[in-house]
Structures are given as C-alpha cells and as structure tokens.
Amino acid sequence: MLMPDDPWQPPRILLAVDLVILTLRDARLHVLLVERGIDPFRGALALPGGFLGDEHEEIEAAARRELSEEVGLSDMHLELLAVYGEPGRDPRGRVVSIAYLAIAPRLPEPIAGTDAANASWTSVDEALGPGTKLAFDHRRILIDGVERARTKLEHTALATAFCTETFTISELQQVYEAVWGVRLDPRNFYRKVQGARGFIVADGPMRKTSNGRPARLFKAGPVHVLNPPMTRP
Amino acid sequence: MLMPDDPWQPPRILLAVDLVILTLRDARLHVLLVERGIDPFRGALALPGGFLGDEHEEIEAAARRELSEEVGLSDMHLELLAVYGEPGRDPRGRVVSIAYLAIAPRLPEPIAGTDAANASWTSVDEALGPGTKLAFDHRRILIDGVERARTKLEHTALATAFCTETFTISELQQVYEAVWGVRLDPRNFYRKVQGARGFIVADGPMRKTSNGRPARLFKAGPVHVLNPPMTRP
DNA sequence: GCAATAGTGTCTTTCAGACAATATACA
DNA sequence: TGTATATTGTCTGAAAGACACTATTGC
C-alpha cells in the first residue's frame, strides 16, 4: 500500500574503500601501509583508502583513484575482497568500507614529496605482529586479504602477477613460498608447475643467476584457472 | 594540513541488503523470490531484501530482519556474498547492495496472509532461464550465489545445512547432485564422504526408505573444513 | 676440480573413478 | 522368489611427495 506521507526514509551512510596491496620484497610478503595524517588514529599505520569521491563514482574507480592519489600506482589488478560495516568501526560515524585486494610485482619505494610520501612497504609478519597497531579494523582486513591471496595462489595463475613479465621457475617458487610461508621441493615444484597446462609458457632462452646453471625463462600463459591446481601442503 | 572551511563532504549513499536463499525441493535447487509490490520493477520477481533500517543497524542484522519480515524465516546460516554498487543499478539513485547467501533444509511454503505471502520458491534453472526477468541486477547476484554454494560444497561441510538434523548418505548425495547438477556414483560417494574425517558421524540406527534396505543415519560432524575435500567432477 | 643452482627420472603412497559382489529390506 | 537400495571390496590410472641423479654455469 502506498503511503506518500510516510516520514521514514532509509538512512544515508558513508562509503569508503580500503586497499590491501601486496608485493614481494626480499622473498617476503609485504603490504603497503600509510601513516595517517589526520584524526582519528592520527599517526597510526593504516591501509590506503578513502571515501567515495562523489555520488556517481564507481566503487572500483574510487579504489583506483586512491591507489593513484595516495600511493602513486596505476594499472594494477584489483579484486573485491569483502565489506566491513560494523557500526562503531569508525569513530566519525557509520562508515561502510569496501576492501579491495591488489597484487603487484616488486615495486619501487613510494616517491618522496608526493601524497605517497608517508606510504611504506611493511612485511606482513611485522604488520600483523604484536608491535604494530593498525587503525580501525585494518588488522582484520589485512588478515582476510592475505588469506585470500593464499587461496587464490592454489587455484589461479595469480602468482605470475607477483613476478616481472618474464621469470624463472625458481622465482615463481619463491612467490609460493613467501605467500604460503612454507618451503617447497624445487624438483616437485618444477614438475607440478609444468603440469598445469597453460599456466606458464617458455619465453626467451636463459637468465644467468648469481651462482649455478642459468635457468630457462617463462612468461604467464593464457590460462587463469589452474588445472590441476597447486595444492598447498 | 587542516582545512576547516573545506566545503567538500563525502557523499552519503543508500545501503541495501539482498538475500540469496537456497534450498532443495524435489531434489532440485530452489531460490526464494518475491514479487515486487512497488516501483521500480513493480510486479517483477526479485531477491528478498531492503534498505538498512537505521544508521546504527548492523548490516547482517538488516539481512536477518528482512529474512524475518519478508519471508518469515529465522535462525539461518548467513554468509556475506558480495557487494553490488554500480551506479545506475537502481533507478532511484545510488544504492549499494550487500548480498548475503543463506542455505536451508527443506522449508515450508511461505505463509499466506503475511508479508511473506508474495514470496515463493522457484527452481534456480527456471529463475535463470530465458522465461524469467529478475529485477535490478538480481540475475547476476543469483548466479554468483549459486556458484558460491557450489564451491563451498567442495571444501566445507555446507551440504549438511541443506539436510534435516539426521540424514542418510544418499540424502547427502542428493544435495551434491542437485547443487552441482551432476550424477555421482553412490558407492564412491559413500567411501569419499566417510573418508572426510569429522564431516559426518553416525547417529541413530536406521531409516526405512520406500524401497530397499534401510540406511544408516548420520548427523553433521564437528568439522567445517573438509579434509580431503569433495572434488567436483 | 668444487659449489651452486637447474632440470630429469624413479619409486611409493594416496586417492579418484569404474564396477563386481554382498547385505537387507519389501512385495 | 524378485526388486530395489545400502554397503563393502577390488582394481586401475593419475597425481603428490621423497629423493637419487644428471646438466650447466662460475670460481
């Protein structure tokens, strides 16, 4: 039944985006964190993010805008992670945050003198360790993001997104070891990766490493869903 | 730098919840749809859902409230599915919808004379078939929900949530066959289910079926992550 | 030569899938 | 008895993990 004079109107809330940006540095998984310049949580470390720019902005576009403005990155693979909307998660009022997961190959240090100046790479172990306090519920978001990356490594070709365009199989193995936090047998890994049809294809001849025999170079193949999958030990 | 007179304020948007409620009827996967009583899409079929009640309501609480008000159900397992926030998905303005997935054992018909009167079970095949037009982007949400259920059946004990408290192994097999849309070998299924430690535990003696030998009864076990998983053919 | 990493082969165990065989109900 | 469903057993092929072994570089 229509009730044109019904005074009730649905509430309007604030929408934010937050980014879990993962990369590999020194064979360890790192996440990009920013130091907050304003209250609340001024001075604390937080995931990059911000509010929707205007009523017509796509949510993923807002995430890319923050990526560009706050940390100077662009053209990355973004994936919806989850929604965090608990009342009270932000002391400023009701803020619902849409979290995205981004995976990147080895990236440069954030550029000083830009908005990205207070962004820095932190190892995930340290960011989640007892010595670090993250703003809001960003610790939970980071845990969820890392777990998502671990699972996606099993079933998709995501690992190649951590690598440069061409890579060796042992470099790919380092991705799996860093994200999963385990050691893998290089010989079995070699066979398993080769067995996943379309995962990687040969490219270029060799790359000399510091020591030992040079390795063949590969690039990402056409397949994004691995068959058979890379099972986690 | 603080700019107390900065006129920019982040936009406030409308937040909605939508529910993909799945159950089994006649060994086929069904979804609960409602006929919309108001514009937009008046008269079309849609997923149950609605706006956040007030600024302080938890998102999942809003989903449970809609579940109760609109379809008369309570105490169900709810799981965050995804976020749908494309501008233009709702002609009334910018509406971001949080979709939840609910799984239920065989449920009664919605009760006539309540708000749930225009809710009805529709087979998923029919709801996604060419003869049905769903409101908004609810076709996409339903597809995502079914795919999520299929995947979760592999790795978690979700299948028992489709069953009554005690069930036979062939009843459990019917769940897998209905959700995955495949036929399974009862003998191999039997061994596989028994091999997943903690998935199901014996309960009570027997249940006489229409024909043939009575089957042993089981109930859901303590484990929620299956090891080894039930691999989809 | 030695050290170090890349790549191959082989063995054993585990598991998925096909399917024979047995068990227990009802008519 | 026959028919239908439940449960167990057996076989085969694929894949995972352990690990011996060969190959190719720099020193």
Side-chain angles (χ1 to χ4, degrees):
Chain A
M1 185 180 295
L2 275 175
M3 300 177 67
D5 295 335
D6 188 339
W8 184 82
Q9 287 286 103
R12 293 179 174 268
I13 56 96
L14 293 174
L15 200 68
V17 293
D18 284 308
L19 291 156
V20 178
I21 310 168
L22 299 177
T23 197
L24 239 57
R25 297 170 70 83
D26 307 321
R28 290 169 44 160
L29 192 61
H30 282 63
V31 60
L32 194 68
L33 297 179
V34 298
E35 187 182 330
R36 284 183 62 80
I38 59 170
D39 276 322
F41 297 101
R42 181 199 292 246
L45 289 173
L47 297 172
F51 289 112
L52 207 63
D54 66 70
E55 180 143 340
H56 305 292
E57 188 178 40
E58 289 254 12
I59 302 177
E60 184 174 319
R64 293 193 183 280
R65 181 177 48 73
E66 291 292 338
L67 196 60
S68 166
E69 289 177 5
E70 204 159 352
V71 296
L73 300 173
S74 61
D75 288 333
M76 302 182 58
H77 172 257
L78 276 190
E79 168 178 327
L80 178 64
L81 178 57
V83 189
Y84 301 86
E86 189 192 346
R89 64 179 290 277
D90 190 318
R92 289 167 294 188
R94 187 65 189 276
V95 177
V96 172
S97 175
I98 316 292
Y100 282 85
L101 178 64
I103 304 290
R106 162 101 200 205
L107 290 169
E109 290 294 336
I111 303 102
T114 69
D115 282 357
N118 51 4
S120 63
W121 294 107
T122 309
S123 93
V124 168
D125 287 344
E126 186 183 331
L128 294 177
T132 306
K133 292 280 173 276
L134 298 181
F136 307 106
D137 49 2
H138 287 188
R139 177 186 164 82
R140 162 54 42 195
I141 301 178
L142 176 55
I143 289 173
D144 292 346
V146 171
E147 180 54 35
R148 172 74 67 89
R150 287 183 170 144
T151 301
K152 290 212 72 176
L153 233 49
E154 293 189 80
H155 303 287
T156 75
L158 175 67
T160 58
F162 279 102
C163 298
T164 48
E165 196 187 348
T166 65
F167 48 86
T168 68
I169 288 186
S170 82
E171 283 167 356
L172 191 62
Q173 179 180 341
Q174 287 175 36
V175 174
Y176 278 89
E177 291 184 332
V179 177
W180 283 351
V182 297
R183 299 286 295 173
L184 302 172
D185 184 304
R187 300 158 292 186
N188 292 333
F189 183 84
Y190 200 98
R191 260 190 307 105
K192 200 178 219 170
V193 165
Q194 298 275 39
R197 293 167 303 246
F199 184 11
I200 58 172
V201 297
D203 182 89
M206 295 289 167
R207 170 180 297 172
K208 12 184 197 323
T209 50
S210 46
N211 299 336
R213 169 175 174 177
R216 295 158 66 190
L217 283 175
F218 295 84
K219 60 182 178 185
V223 167
H224 287 83
V225 176
L226 297 188
N227 182 12
M230 305 287 294
T231 52
R232 197 181 342 180
Chain B
M1 185 180 296
L2 275 174
M3 300 176 68
D5 296 334
D6 189 338
W8 184 80
Q9 287 286 103
R12 293 177 175 269
I13 57 96
L14 292 173
L15 200 70
V17 293
D18 284 307
L19 291 156
V20 177
I21 309 167
L22 300 177
T23 196
L24 239 58
R25 298 170 68 83
D26 308 321
R28 290 169 42 158
L29 192 62
H30 282 64
V31 60
L32 194 69
L33 297 179
V34 298
E35 188 182 329
R36 285 183 60 82
I38 59 171
D39 276 321
F41 296 100
R42 180 200 292 248
L45 291 174
L47 298 173
F51 290 111
L52 207 62
D54 67 69
E55 182 144 338
H56 304 291
E57 188 177 40
E58 289 253 12
I59 302 177
E60 184 173 320
R64 292 194 183 279
R65 180 177 48 73
E66 292 293 338
L67 196 58
S68 167
E69 289 177 6
E70 205 160 350
V71 297
L73 300 173
S74 60
D75 288 334
M76 300 182 59
H77 173 258
L78 277 189
E79 168 180 327
L80 178 64
L81 178 58
V83 191
Y84 301 87
E86 188 193 348
R89 65 179 287 278
D90 190 318
R92 290 166 293 189
R94 187 64 188 275
V95 178
V96 172
S97 175
I98 315 292
Y100 281 85
L101 178 64
I103 304 290
R106 162 104 200 203
L107 289 168
E109 289 294 337
I111 303 101
T114 68
D115 283 355
N118 50 4
S120 63
W121 294 107
T122 308
S123 92
V124 167
D125 287 344
E126 187 182 330
L128 294 177
T132 306
K133 291 280 174 278
L134 298 181
F136 307 107
D137 49 3
H138 287 187
R139 176 185 165 84
R140 161 54 43 192
I141 300 178
L142 175 56
I143 289 174
D144 292 346
V146 171
E147 181 52 35
R148 172 75 66 91
R150 287 183 169 145
T151 301
K152 290 211 71 176
L153 233 49
E154 291 188 80
H155 303 287
T156 76
L158 175 66
T160 59
F162 279 102
C163 298
T164 48
E165 196 187 349
T166 64
F167 48 86
T168 68
I169 288 186
S170 81
E171 284 166 356
L172 191 62
Q173 179 180 343
Q174 286 174 38
V175 173
Y176 278 89
E177 291 183 332
V179 177
W180 284 350
V182 298
R183 299 286 296 174
L184 302 172
D185 184 303
R187 300 159 291 186
N188 292 332
F189 183 85
Y190 200 98
R191 261 191 305 104
K192 199 178 221 171
V193 166
Q194 299 274 41
R197 293 167 303 244
F199 184 11
I200 58 173
V201 297
D203 181 89
M206 296 286 168
R207 172 180 295 173
K208 19 190 191 319
T209 50
S210 46
N211 299 337
R213 171 175 173 177
R216 293 158 67 190
L217 283 174
F218 295 84
K219 61 182 177 186
V223 167
H224 287 83
V225 176
L226 298 188
N227 183 11
M230 305 287 292
T231 51
R232 193 175 355 171

